[in-house]
Amino acid sequence: MFTLPDFPWDRLEPYKKRAAEHPDGIVDLSVGTPVDPTPDAVRKALAEASDAPGYPATYGTPELRESVAGWLRRRAGVAGADPAAVLPVIGTKELVAWLPTLLGAGPGDKVVFPELAYPTYDVGARLAGAEPVATDGLLKLGPVRPKIVWVNSPSNPTGKVLPAEHLRKVVAWARGRGALVISDECYLEFGWDDERPPVSILHPDVCGGSHEGLLAVNSLSKRSNMAGYRAGFVTGDLAVVKRLLEVRKHAGMIVPAPVQAAMVAAFDDDAHADEQRARYARRRADLRAAFEKHGFRIDHSEASLYLWATRDEPCWETVGHLASLGVLVGPGEFYGTAGARHVRIAFTATDERVAAAVARL
């Protein structure tokens, strides 16, 4: 019987209460939840599709699959993006948690993920009854043949970007062992360092033009302020996507029809994503300058919606110090023992709350 870790965010509640006691209220930079409005075109598409008496297609509409493929070609450089290999999902956290199970992983199988990682990779392995393995060095695994290898670039929590040459080595290693590489790319459009732009696992420079043995996962939660819509997709190896489609049909894992229509509007429009990116760039610059002036060192953080910061002390001491200023951040320990001296700072807060944090720091 699998065991699941305690939900880590419950441990943050006392610090949240302390931060909320600040006379000007809490500045919550702990969770990367969008706060800006959902684009008008997306809301309009949702409303216009709201008369939906019939069951939607698990596979999604042809319009949605082509919209996603067009976005992949246009924004991610995935020249070979195939609409037939696109499968919409009910938010990507659901997918991350259940993919090992849906792919048939179980006892005796190993699911590999980074040492500092989104906790749901570990949880997904445990739900399937497989063995979770946290490592940043595949060569350390020796002759092991894992079922799944997760990569996450840009990284949550560190914002680190894996260059194309690194990803090429991961793909070659996994293909040599018959392992499936699943790339969590939810922050792909949020790179801040021109010298190290994020790259998809499906980009020809990484995969050599073949998507065999590869899946990429992405979401509209951050790009289009649609976290409340639960809208994402998985794509890549057509044969694997078709297997997932069959299982999801049986399990009733279907994106609602109005949400599918809203997804088309979002993926067809780049202007709103560029506007949102500009908002985050301003907030990032202001918060980075303020935290560095306050004595923090920012590590990695060349992409994503977070700053990976440290004062070279245990992370809970940092969390307590900032809570006394009314600022709540995420303890790095939540993402693995290697994060025990860092905190994750989200810049998904309103301009007003960011300005309040800057003033307090």
Side-chain angles (χ1 to χ4, degrees):
M1 180 65 181
F2 63 81
T3 58
L4 294 178
D6 294 334
F7 189 65
W9 293 96
D10 294 341
R11 295 171 57 197
L12 202 56
E13 280 303 311
Y15 299 91
K16 186 174 185 179
K17 290 178 182 177
R18 187 191 307 179
E21 293 171 357
H22 191 280
D24 187 35
I26 188 173
V27 178
D28 193 344
L29 307 178
S30 66
V31 181
T33 187
V35 296
D36 299 300
T38 304
D40 288 342
V42 171
R43 298 167 67 181
K44 182 171 183 268
L46 182 81
E48 289 178 350
S50 61
D51 183 15
Y55 290 109
T58 307
Y59 198 13
T61 63
E63 293 79 12
L64 172 55
R65 297 197 301 278
E66 179 52 54
S67 180
V68 172
W71 174 82
L72 285 164
R73 299 183 202 113
R74 191 174 67 249
R75 301 283 277 197
V78 182
D82 180 2
V86 172
L87 180 60
V89 298
I90 314 159
T92 49
K93 183 170 185 177
E94 167 263 302
L95 184 72
V96 170
W98 291 108
L99 256 179
T101 299
L102 298 178
L103 292 167
D109 292 322
K110 289 179 170 58
V111 176
V112 177
F113 48 85
E115 289 179 11
L116 278 169
Y118 186 47
T120 311
Y121 306 134
D122 181 10
V123 168
R126 294 170 188 258
L127 287 171
E131 179 186 347
V133 179
T135 182
D136 287 339
L138 293 177
L139 295 179
K140 296 177 185 177
L141 295 175
V144 167
R145 292 176 174 266
K147 179 87 170 179
I148 292 168
V149 175
W150 280 101
V151 294
N152 176 212
S153 176
S155 163
N156 175 13
T158 69
K160 182 178 180 180
V161 171
L162 298 177
E165 55 268 27
H166 179 103
L167 291 171
R168 272 200 306 272
K169 292 177 182 177
V170 173
V171 169
W173 186 94
R175 283 175 171 168
R177 287 157 181 77
L180 181 70
V181 178
I182 309 177
S183 180
D184 183 348
E185 302 178 352
C186 289
Y187 300 97
L188 193 66
E189 289 195 273
F190 296 105
W192 312 111
D193 184 346
D194 291 340
E195 295 183 2
R196 181 168 284 197
V199 59
S200 172
I201 201 86
L202 303 180
H203 193 284
D205 289 349
V206 175
C207 68
S210 169
H211 297 171
E212 183 181 358
L214 308 176
L215 291 178
V217 176
N218 215 312
S219 165
L220 286 167
S221 293
K222 309 298 197 291
R223 177 189 186 271
S224 301
N225 299 325
M226 291 173 63
Y229 284 58
R230 309 315 301 130
F233 70 87
V234 60
T235 190
D237 188 320
L238 179 60
V240 178
V241 170
K242 288 295 183 72
R243 277 169 42 207
L244 288 172
L245 172 61
E246 290 307 310
V247 177
R248 292 176 72 86
K249 282 180 178 178
H250 283 295
M253 294 175 167
I254 311 173
V255 176
V259 174
Q260 292 190 31
M263 291 175 72
V264 174
F267 277 119
D268 281 352
D269 176 36
D270 296 332
H272 78 270
D274 291 335
E275 291 172 6
Q276 186 60 44
R277 176 185 162 80
R279 290 187 193 105
Y280 284 140
R282 291 193 299 270
R283 293 166 185 166
R284 176 183 184 271
D286 290 347
L287 284 171
R288 178 165 193 151
F291 274 96
E292 287 180 332
K293 188 174 181 180
H294 197 74
F296 281 80
R297 184 182 76 246
I298 308 299
D299 292 332
H300 303 303
S301 307
E302 58 262 27
S304 83
L305 300 182
Y306 311 106
L307 298 173
W308 187 238
T310 181
R311 297 204 308 173
D312 290 316
E313 65 185 7
C315 62
W316 288 103
E317 290 184 21
T318 308
V319 171
H321 166 70
L322 291 172
S324 69
L325 300 177
V327 178
L328 189 68
V329 298
E333 186 180 272
F334 283 2
Y335 304 92
T337 56
R341 298 179 73 84
H342 282 75
V343 294
R344 193 193 75 169
I345 301 162
F347 40 92
T348 54
T350 64
D351 291 342
E352 184 273 332
R353 287 289 85 187
V354 168
V358 169
R360 296 174 196 183
L361 291 165

